Amino acid sequence: MRDDLLRLYASTEEIENASDSHSLMKRNKSSYSLSNFVDYDFIQQKLKGLEEENLKLRSEANELTSETVNNEEQEQELMMPL
C-alpha cells in the first residue's frame, strides 16, 4: 500500500508538472504541502479501486485457504491405513 501511495504521489507530481491547467490541481503559492497538489477526485477513484482489489484478493486468499485445507484432508485420508 505504501508503494501505491508513493506511485500516486509521483504520478500526481508528474501531472502537476506536465499541465499548465489548474483545473486538475489546486496549488497555493504560499505553501508547498502535498495537500495543495492533490486531485481529490483521482485519489477517491484510486482508493475505491484499491478497496475493490483488496476485497478480491481477500476472497481469493480465502478460496486458496479452503482448497489447501481440503487438499490436506484428502492427503491425510490417503495416508491412513485401511
Side-chain angles (χ1 to χ4, degrees):
M1 182 178 249
R2 182 177 63 180
D3 292 336
D4 287 336
L5 288 173
L6 288 171
R7 276 189 232 113
L8 174 65
Y9 174 72
S11 67
T12 302
E13 275 193 327
E14 289 172 9
I15 291 170
E16 192 274 330
N17 290 335
S19 174
D20 291 332
S21 170
H22 293 294
S23 64
L24 291 177
M25 300 292 164
K26 295 178 182 177
R27 183 174 182 177
N28 182 348
K29 293 181 181 181
S30 65
S31 175
Y32 289 100
S33 69
L34 176 61
S35 64
N36 294 325
F37 294 96
V38 174
D39 179 356
Y40 293 102
D41 291 333
F42 174 75
I43 289 177
Q44 194 72 19
Q45 291 173 349
K46 183 72 172 177
L47 179 61
K48 184 177 180 181
L50 291 172
E51 288 172 342
E52 290 172 358
E53 183 181 3
N54 190 18
L55 288 174
K56 180 181 173 186
L57 291 172
R58 285 178 190 251
S59 176
E60 289 176 15
N62 287 336
E63 288 177 27
L64 290 173
T65 300
S66 178
E67 286 179 29
T68 301
V69 168
N70 289 337
N71 289 338
E72 288 175 352
E73 288 174 356
Q74 288 177 357
E75 182 180 340
Q76 286 296 322
E77 289 175 13
L78 291 173
M79 294 181 71
M80 285 185 186
L82 296 174

